[in-house]
Amino acid sequence: MTNSIFQFKHYQPRPLEIIDTTLREGSQTSLLHDHYKYFFNQNDKMEIARGLIVYGVKFIELFAPIVSPRERDDFAAIKSVRDELIMQKGYTFLLAHVRCHPADIESAIEAGADGLNIYIGLSESSRTHSHGKELDEIIKSARKLLEEVRQDYPELILRFSGEDAFRTPEANLFRVYDEIVPLVDRLGTPDTVGVATPAAVSRRLELFRERYPEMEFEGHFHDDRGYAVINALEAVKAGMRYINTTLLGIGERSGITSLTALLYNLYVDKFYDHLEGYTLRGSYPINVMFASKLKKLVPSKEPVSLTNRTHTAGVHQKAVLNHASTYEAFPLDQFGVTESEILLGPLSGWNIIHYFLKEIKYYNLGEGTARQIAAVFKERVYKMGPADSPAEILIDIAENQFGLSHLSIPEPVKDKILQRWDESGETKPPERAEGEGDPAARRDAAVSLKRPE
């Protein structure tokens, strides 16, 4: 069991506590099947756990060890990672996601879990088509089980969730929760099938606070309607302390709330006290690391991504060259995205073509020639095949159709030239972060503009 000095009763919760469930909910994503991977291996899980702990997450949810011998062994491996980091990052609580069933609970206790995230479906659909139990039976068995655990293992963190809470009538939720609230540390309000709206979340939390004023609540919001992040934001702003997240928001079906998207939006909305203890500049690196596990780029729907600073339209590209804020409204630098990309392609205007040829490739040309080259480029680039590179097409036009020559640059200063719009910072070209995917995917089409740190 947990060493007494690390028991939850000695922990002072922060205004926002992320309960990250990448290693449980995230393991249920169909994205793993895209590359015939099917599951995170033990090394993956250890690296993900290490990344989360270094990022500042204090609660990590794992499968109950009873799920499989592999999950049992992985639980032990993750626990060893946690223990290695205690002196450096403090204690991180490992929570087992368990059915309201003695066997699940026993396996988690034997594995050394710090807490039990107990769940059972309370909606009519769950009671009819899942476990088949009526409310009175659920209340009786849940209360008995919780009383035994609380008596025998008083140091364990206990959460109880009525699965599918937003399709469960409030009267039924109250009927069950009234009986078990004295025995738990948190009550869960999971939107298991993604039906909740921000208004419904706010109303539900208000009712719960009125009925259980001393209780903490935990939110778990699925993204079936695209509301996972906004529902989590609504819950946090209404006073909910504990929120379930995953990296990149992956999970069953459309996934749940993204860890970095939630913190990013809280930062934008100036809820700075809720960001206590989280290493915000590690947001993009942890996203890149995790995307590499899925053999993907950081997806475009994730706000903390280089895609959120990638420009293809000519009007946007011209303005960004002059001043980034024209089309970049948010402080992604604070979350580890320290560069922008401008993609050469059919929508590129003469400004970016002039910039690319003169400032990146050192050709000698004026604006008038750049306009002419742009017209030819737009004709050819629409015929480009998947193996072609917009940059190579542009260089071919510049050299073979317009006969451009390179600028003469003195050797002592050649490597000192800054290929960027500002005048400060490093002189070396930016490197692509590991896990950003195949560098050939954009076929040398990107002009990378790095920000000062």
Side-chain angles (χ1 to χ4, degrees):
M1 294 306 300
T2 307
N3 188 302
S4 61
I5 65 171
F6 297 126
Q7 289 178 11
F8 182 65
K9 65 182 179 181
H10 300 304
Y11 180 72
Q12 180 62 48
R14 297 172 290 186
L16 171 64
E17 290 292 357
I18 295 295
I19 299 177
D20 191 86
T21 183
T22 302
L23 296 174
R24 197 279 300 173
E25 174 75 50
S27 295
Q28 298 169 202
T29 178
S30 60
L31 296 175
L32 286 167
H33 291 242
D34 289 350
H35 299 285
Y36 309 103
K37 184 169 183 173
Y38 305 121
F39 59 90
F40 297 118
N41 64 38
Q42 189 172 104
N43 287 334
D44 289 335
K45 291 183 177 182
M46 293 172 73
E47 186 176 357
I48 291 164
R50 184 176 289 107
L52 290 168
I53 292 169
V54 171
Y55 189 75
V57 171
K58 292 296 184 184
F59 298 86
I60 295 177
E61 183 180 72
L62 307 173
F63 284 113
I66 199 173
V67 168
S68 70
R70 180 180 291 273
E71 293 300 336
R72 180 197 62 213
D73 294 344
D74 290 350
F75 198 110
I78 293 164
K79 188 169 179 286
S80 72
V81 170
R82 185 276 308 277
D83 292 346
E84 289 171 6
L85 291 170
I86 289 174
M87 294 300 293
Q88 178 187 354
K89 304 302 295 185
Y91 196 78
T92 301
F93 299 94
L94 302 182
L95 311 175
H97 185 256
V98 297
R99 296 170 299 172
C100 192
H101 191 283
D104 283 29
I105 290 173
E106 182 181 353
S107 75
I109 292 172
E110 288 179 356
D114 298 290
L116 306 175
N117 284 355
I118 301 169
Y119 71 96
I120 188 169
L122 298 183
S123 67
E124 183 179 353
S125 295
S126 293
R127 289 184 284 114
T128 302
H129 305 296
S130 181
H131 52 71
K133 297 179 179 180
E134 292 300 325
L135 289 179
D136 287 341
E137 185 180 359
I138 291 171
I139 292 169
K140 182 179 179 180
S141 62
R143 184 173 180 90
K144 180 176 183 295
L145 193 56
L146 285 166
E147 285 176 339
E148 291 174 354
V149 172
R150 184 55 86 200
Q151 178 179 330
D152 295 338
Y153 306 98
E155 73 279 9
L156 280 178
I157 308 167
L158 298 182
R159 182 217 70 190
F160 184 89
S161 281
E163 193 180 31
D164 201 5
F166 283 85
R167 288 197 302 177
T168 303
E170 286 151 3
N172 289 351
L173 280 175
F174 292 152
R175 186 174 160 191
V176 176
Y177 284 7
D178 283 355
E179 294 296 321
I180 57 90
V181 72
L183 302 168
V184 299
D185 299 289
R186 295 191 307 279
L187 288 175
T189 59
D191 181 24
T192 308
V193 293
V195 299
T197 63
V201 170
S202 180
R203 178 180 180 277
R204 178 63 58 85
L205 187 54
E206 182 180 359
L207 290 174
F208 272 37
R209 285 202 172 283
E210 288 178 359
R211 194 172 188 95
Y212 313 114
E214 303 301 320
M215 180 54 55
E216 294 282 7
F217 301 98
E218 177 181 326
H220 180 98
F221 302 102
H222 274 264
D223 206 34
D224 298 71
R225 297 183 66 183
Y227 285 172
V229 171
I230 192 170
N231 282 341
L233 279 170
E234 186 70 22
V236 171
K237 292 176 181 181
M240 186 177 284
R241 189 191 301 272
Y242 295 89
I243 300 290
N244 291 178
T245 68
T246 60
L247 291 169
L248 305 182
I250 70 166
E252 188 84 16
R253 304 186 313 281
S254 298
I256 66 168
T257 306
S258 159
L259 166 61
T260 58
L262 175 60
L263 298 188
Y264 175 67
N265 277 281
L266 288 170
Y267 184 96
V268 170
D269 290 346
K270 298 182 172 58
F271 279 71
Y272 301 129
D273 59 328
H274 287 68
L275 305 175
E276 177 188 335
Y278 297 103
T279 309
L280 300 186
R281 284 188 179 272
S283 300
Y284 184 56
I286 200 172
N287 283 347
V288 170
M289 177 276 289
F290 186 65
S292 72
K293 303 295 183 190
L294 300 170
K295 299 184 180 180
K296 296 175 66 68
L297 298 174
V298 177
S300 58
K301 67 171 284 188
E302 169 58 52
V304 182
S305 62
L306 186 55
T307 307
N308 218 356
R309 275 188 169 167
T310 299
H311 309 277
T312 60
V315 172
H316 290 227
Q317 291 175 347
K318 175 182 182 294
V320 167
L321 287 175
N322 292 329
H323 203 285
S325 65
T326 311
Y327 285 105
E328 296 177 5
F330 300 110
L332 276 166
D333 302 75
Q334 301 299 319
F335 288 78
V337 184
T338 56
E339 59 184 79
S340 292
E341 281 193 344
I342 292 177
L343 297 184
L344 294 172
L347 302 179
S348 297
W350 72 267
N351 292 278
I352 189 59
I353 286 173
H354 179 257
Y355 179 89
F356 176 77
L357 291 174
K358 186 171 184 178
E359 304 295 335
I360 303 296
K361 295 299 181 182
Y362 308 137
Y363 285 102
N364 189 5
L365 80 162
E367 293 183 0
T369 303
R371 292 175 186 272
Q372 295 175 38
I373 291 174
V376 177
F377 177 72
K378 284 179 179 288
E379 286 291 327
R380 283 186 56 181
V381 78
Y382 278 102
K383 302 172 184 177
M384 181 175 64
D388 297 324
S389 160
E392 290 174 359
I393 291 173
L394 188 54
I395 289 170
D396 179 67
I397 294 170
E399 292 184 351
N400 297 321
Q401 292 187 239
F402 286 82
L404 295 188
S405 60
H406 285 94
L407 293 166
S408 178
I409 302 171
E411 285 298 325
V413 299
K414 189 171 184 179
D415 293 333
K416 305 295 184 182
I417 292 176
L418 298 178
Q419 297 178 350
R420 50 195 284 181
W421 71 78
D422 59 80
E423 297 179 354
S424 61
E426 302 175 9
T427 58
K428 64 180 181 180
E431 298 177 355
R432 180 173 295 276
E434 181 183 355
E436 270 288 273
D438 181 2
R442 286 174 173 162
R443 303 300 306 171
D444 299 323
V447 180
S448 186
L449 305 171
K450 194 168 185 180
R451 310 304 178 91
E453 295 292 344

